[in-house]
Amino acid sequence: MIDDGELDWKIIAINAADEHASEIHDVADIEKFYPGTVSGIREWFRWYKTPDGKPINSFGHGEKALSAKEAIHVRVPRAHAVAITRLSPRLDCTSYRRPTATV
């Protein structure tokens, strides 16, 4: 999400006690069991600051929610990658590399 001109990553999670939790492993699975939820989340984040007079937020990646694997390998900060790994041991985060800059 682009919020006030700054990149602001969001992670979608599901309650482990949800009746479908054992079958939901990625964002595409959410749509199987809860159609429209991901779009609803995106629209909420698009508009949630407008009552305060701020502009709507925009989204990158063609407004598509990235899979967990894509998000980890794109630019999610290391702290988020560690949190995702702890929350979902099914993900392989061993190849995560923090981008480096040359000065």
Side-chain angles (χ1 to χ4, degrees):
M1 178 174 88
I2 310 299
D3 183 355
D4 285 332
E6 295 182 11
L7 182 61
D8 188 4
W9 288 96
K10 302 296 181 198
I11 296 175
I12 299 173
I14 186 166
N15 186 328
D18 184 278
E19 65 180 307
H20 300 293
S22 66
E23 301 170 89
I24 296 177
H25 305 289
D26 213 328
V27 71
D29 297 330
I30 296 170
E31 288 301 305
K32 290 178 194 172
F33 295 100
Y34 301 106
T37 298
V38 175
S39 176
I41 291 169
R42 181 178 43 253
E43 290 309 307
W44 187 86
F45 277 114
R46 183 186 313 278
W47 295 95
Y48 82 112
K49 289 189 175 181
T50 59
D52 296 331
K54 294 188 178 186
I56 62 171
N57 293 316
S58 59
F59 296 85
H61 299 282
E63 297 207 354
K64 169 181 97 87
L66 299 179
S67 69
K69 188 172 184 175
E70 289 172 314
I72 288 170
H73 293 286
V74 175
R75 296 213 180 209
V76 177
R78 178 71 179 137
H80 287 165
V82 170
I84 291 170
T85 302
R86 289 182 183 153
L87 293 172
S88 182
R90 294 178 295 272
L91 295 175
D92 174 14
C93 299
T94 57
S95 63
Y96 175 84
R97 290 194 183 101
R98 186 177 194 93
T100 58
T102 305
V103 179

